[in-house]
Amino acid sequence: LPDVGQLAFDLWEKIGLQWQKENEDDLKDKLDFAAPPPSHYPEGVIRPGLGCRELVFRNLSKILPAICHDITDWLAGTRVKAAQLLTVLLLHAEDHITQHLEIVLRTLYRACSDEEKVVVSSCAKSAELIGTFVNPEVFLKLILAALEKSPLPPYLMVLAAVIRGCSREDLKLHINSIANTLSQTQICQGSEEVIYMEQLLCCVQALIKVGKEDCTEASLPLMEVLVTIMAIPGVASLHEKVQETMTSLAVVQKMDGILDLYRQHIDQLMEWLSSSHDQWNCYSLELLQFEVVVTQSGPVLSEALHHFISILKTCLQPTKDPKMRLKLFTVLSQLLLKANNSVNSQGQFHEYLETMIKDILVPNLQWHAGRTAGAIRTTAVSCLWALIYSEMLSTEQVLEVQELLLPQIITTLEEDSKMTRLLSCRIISIFLKSCGDMIVPDKLLKIYPEVLKRMDDASNEVRTAAASTLISWLKCIQNDDGKFVFQSNIQFLYQELLVHLDDPDNGIQNAVLEVLKEGSVLFPDILVKEIESVKHKHRSPVFCEELLQHVQADGVAF
């Protein structure tokens, strides 16, 4: 038996030719001046003959209402066949679709939500045919108005399909209008559902694919849409596609990649976000958009530091939403850890150091009750550690930071968070190394008791860091004249450390031994007396003996 589809096609062609012959006089003008098919006619599709097209066009108003009704039938089979038939009818109707555009679009909006994939696929093909045959000015007026009124996935699906069906020449004058509509807040933030964001992305992809270089002028609103999609929680599955779309947008503009795209728009994107930053809270989508821009722009971020710091300064004030501040500090610490590939790629971050310290870190290191407040202090300390650890600050700048922040960091040694205590020890150690013997005795005397307390910490990691910090503290006491100011304090330090030298943990014992070796050069005779007075109390005299041998090797007579 012959293929039923092919048989139907052959019979339909014969019918069209016969009807065309019977109505030759009526069709004379169309036969003599036959309009060619659109240059972007669907690939691989044979254009129906004139007779077939005329037959459909003349009867479309009678058939179309029934087809539109059946597309929403309760039987899946009926809906599938009706959707497939609609595609065939529109292929025949060509530009005559315009007369029935409103009813067709309403039908497609409904059918694109169908649970049957075949129905949705057929409707997408129908929408592409609208883009092929109808003037964009006509269908965009209807679709964009409907989308602005009700931002729903089917409207975006239809819009993406009609764009795919358009020719580049026809679409050219409308790219800006479409891009600006998509970037409107009520549309690009119309829903957080994956299907909505997926269709929004399809619209951008279609614009880039069809518009190519003509998308250059619409690059900014398209970037805003793509950044928004990346920012929506729960759509991580789309991130790779968004990155690919950004790459495509860069390619059509003859750029090397996504970073060039950010470089072109970084100031505008920051201005777009900063327009509302004083009203952000932890639920603001703008906060997530900001995170996307600053983390994805890499070294380009340093070209918009004034915007970046201004937003942080406003949003990280203690009066602002605590959870938002926690989020921003987390982002900031990540950026500072890779500063040379982000905020300091142009070596200019030091210009904003004073603002960073005085207006951002100092206020957030102040103690406030509550777990969230404690978490904020932890992230603020993490930011300070990242700032120092990144080595983008000169010795003079570290000294400046030490002058401003040392009192706050000393207080954070008592925080509940192990991470805060650990980082605080490390920060103080770096401060001491930078100061050398320039730090005044009064300040030194305030530091060591607080660090010494951490030798009793519940965390061995913190205890080890505290021991390392005590070594840095001892190295600050270098000149013979000044060290006698600290004699009683050093003796007390010897006594406390000798207790920890008998710690059950071998790692702590070794760390303490190194501290005592470092401090032995200051008052070796006092240290020897203290060792002798406690050696018999230790579970093992091994470390005491090693320490005595070290002192003796340094030339002290017993």
Side-chain angles (χ1 to χ4, degrees):
L1 288 175
D3 179 77
V4 175
Q6 185 61 47
L7 180 60
F9 179 83
D10 294 340
L11 288 173
W12 176 240
E13 283 295 306
K14 288 180 181 178
I15 291 169
L17 287 170
Q18 184 176 334
W19 187 87
Q20 179 180 318
K21 188 175 181 180
E22 292 172 356
N23 295 273
E24 194 170 359
D25 292 340
D26 191 25
L27 298 174
K28 188 174 187 311
D29 287 346
K30 292 184 178 180
L31 286 168
D32 292 343
F33 307 100
S39 59
H40 54 291
Y41 199 81
E43 189 176 344
V45 176
I46 300 173
R47 190 186 191 195
L50 177 62
C52 295
R53 301 200 308 271
E54 280 293 315
L55 267 173
V56 169
F57 162 58
R58 296 188 181 199
N59 293 280
L60 191 60
S61 60
K62 302 171 187 174
I63 304 172
L64 197 58
I67 295 294
C68 293
H69 177 269
D70 284 352
I71 282 183
T72 58
D73 193 84
W74 68 278
L75 286 173
T78 303
R79 298 199 305 275
V80 169
K81 292 302 178 184
Q84 292 172 334
L85 182 54
L86 179 62
T87 303
V88 175
L89 290 175
L90 296 183
L91 183 67
H92 283 71
E94 294 191 352
D95 58 341
H96 297 297
I97 301 171
T98 307
Q99 301 174 33
H100 309 280
L101 193 56
E102 288 194 52
I103 186 174
V104 172
L105 286 175
R106 282 200 302 271
T107 302
L108 294 179
Y109 296 150
R110 294 182 65 184
C112 280
S113 299
D114 201 284
E115 60 188 20
E116 293 292 330
K117 292 183 178 179
V118 178
V119 174
V120 176
S121 175
S122 296
C123 288
K125 290 178 182 177
S126 294
E128 287 179 12
L129 292 173
I130 292 173
T132 301
F133 298 123
V134 179
N135 186 320
E137 191 167 345
V138 177
F139 67 69
L140 285 175
K141 183 177 180 180
L142 295 173
I143 297 174
L144 295 183
L147 183 60
E148 288 176 341
K149 186 177 180 181
S150 304
L152 297 168
Y155 293 81
L156 292 170
M157 190 180 295
V158 170
L159 177 59
V162 296
I163 293 172
R164 288 195 298 270
C166 274
S167 69
R168 179 181 172 185
E169 191 60 35
D170 288 342
L171 188 65
K172 184 175 183 178
L173 297 176
H174 305 282
I175 291 177
N176 280 348
S177 174
I178 298 171
N180 288 328
T181 300
L182 293 176
S183 67
Q184 290 178 17
T185 302
Q186 70 268 29
I187 293 176
C188 71
Q189 299 181 27
S191 171
E192 293 190 2
E193 293 182 2
V194 175
I195 186 171
Y196 184 89
M197 288 295 137
E198 196 170 30
Q199 295 308 318
L200 185 61
L201 179 59
C202 285
C203 289
V204 177
Q205 291 172 329
L207 273 177
I208 296 170
K209 184 177 180 180
V210 176
K212 296 183 172 60
E213 290 90 341
D214 299 331
C215 291
T216 300
E217 290 186 12
S219 182
L220 176 61
L222 293 180
M223 273 292 285
E224 291 175 358
V225 174
L226 294 172
V227 166
T228 302
I229 297 172
M230 288 274 282
I232 296 293
V235 295
S237 58
L238 295 179
H239 285 187
E240 187 175 341
K241 291 181 180 178
V242 173
Q243 294 284 6
E244 290 172 358
T245 307
M246 283 189 179
T247 300
S248 300
L249 183 57
V251 168
V252 298
Q253 297 180 71
K254 296 180 172 56
M255 295 176 178
D256 290 335
I258 294 176
L259 288 183
D260 282 347
L261 205 55
Y262 275 108
R263 183 167 286 108
Q264 177 174 268
H265 299 303
I266 189 67
D267 278 322
Q268 295 159 307
L269 288 172
M270 284 295 196
E271 287 171 4
W272 167 56
L273 292 169
S274 63
S275 62
S276 63
H277 73 287
D278 57 334
Q279 299 171 359
W280 292 357
N281 57 45
C282 64
Y283 302 107
S284 299
L285 182 60
E286 291 85 356
L287 175 64
L288 300 176
Q289 291 170 327
F290 176 73
E291 181 183 359
V292 169
V293 171
V294 300
T295 56
Q296 297 294 315
S297 58
V300 177
L301 178 59
S302 63
E303 298 177 21
L305 277 180
H306 55 295
H307 290 300
F308 176 66
I309 297 297
S310 176
I311 290 174
L312 290 182
K313 182 179 175 181
T314 299
C315 296
L316 288 175
Q317 292 307 303
T319 54
K320 294 294 184 179
D321 178 28
K323 291 183 179 179
M324 176 186 71
R325 287 189 286 144
L326 186 59
K327 178 69 173 175
L328 282 173
F329 268 126
T330 302
V331 172
L332 178 59
S333 63
Q334 292 169 354
L335 293 173
L336 290 173
L337 281 172
K338 50 181 181 180
N340 290 333
N341 195 39
S342 59
V343 292
N344 198 46
S345 65
Q346 295 190 351
Q348 297 178 343
F349 189 78
H350 66 274
E351 296 177 10
Y352 300 91
L353 183 60
E354 186 176 352
T355 300
M356 176 64 65
I357 301 303
K358 290 184 177 179
D359 300 327
I360 295 176
L361 291 180
V362 169
N364 286 283
L365 287 171
Q366 301 294 330
W367 190 89
H368 295 281
R371 289 184 180 180
T372 304
I376 290 171
R377 289 193 297 278
T378 297
T379 53
V381 170
S382 299
C383 284
L384 178 58
W385 166 247
L387 180 65
I388 297 170
Y389 184 75
S390 65
E391 297 183 349
M392 63 177 165
L393 303 182
S394 65
T395 303
E396 292 74 17
Q397 289 166 338
V398 173
L399 288 172
E400 182 184 343
V401 173
Q402 178 265 135
E403 189 68 28
L404 293 168
L405 286 180
L406 185 58
Q408 282 84 1
I409 294 301
I410 289 174
T411 64
T412 58
L413 287 169
E414 298 283 352
E415 287 286 342
D416 292 336
S417 165
K418 167 198 160 184
M419 181 58 68
T420 308
R421 301 194 304 274
L422 178 63
L423 293 180
S424 296
C425 285
R426 291 175 178 174
I427 290 168
I428 292 172
S429 182
I430 291 179
F431 282 164
L432 292 169
K433 287 176 183 177
S434 300
C435 294
D437 59 356
M438 292 185 292
I439 191 167
V440 296
D442 285 349
K443 281 190 176 181
L444 275 175
L445 288 172
K446 290 178 181 177
I447 295 173
Y448 95 90
E450 301 302 323
V451 177
L452 187 58
K453 288 179 186 177
R454 298 279 56 84
M455 293 305 300
D456 291 313
D457 201 275
S459 165
N460 280 352
E461 192 176 4
V462 175
R463 297 174 76 193
T464 303
S468 178
T469 304
L470 287 172
I471 290 176
S472 300
W473 184 83
L474 287 166
K475 286 181 177 179
C476 290
I477 308 169
Q478 292 178 346
N479 63 75
D480 292 335
D481 296 331
K483 72 178 184 180
F484 291 101
V485 176
F486 300 93
Q487 182 171 337
S488 60
N489 301 96
I490 298 296
Q491 184 172 3
F492 176 73
L493 183 60
Y494 289 158
Q495 293 167 353
E496 292 296 309
L497 289 175
L498 285 169
V499 173
H500 294 292
L501 192 63
D502 194 36
D503 195 89
D505 187 278
N506 187 254
I508 297 300
Q509 285 181 298
N510 281 304
V512 172
L513 180 63
E514 293 304 312
V515 181
L516 286 167
K517 283 181 178 180
E518 181 66 39
S520 65
V521 299
L522 296 172
F523 302 101
D525 52 338
I526 295 177
L527 178 56
V528 169
K529 289 178 183 177
E530 294 297 338
I531 296 171
E532 294 293 352
S533 67
V534 298
K535 184 170 64 171
H536 65 282
K537 298 178 183 178
H538 282 210
R539 278 167 287 191
S540 170
V542 173
F543 285 95
C544 287
E545 293 295 344
E546 183 178 343
L547 187 55
L548 285 171
Q549 289 173 12
H550 174 81
V551 176
Q552 187 178 30
D554 279 354
V556 178
F558 296 97

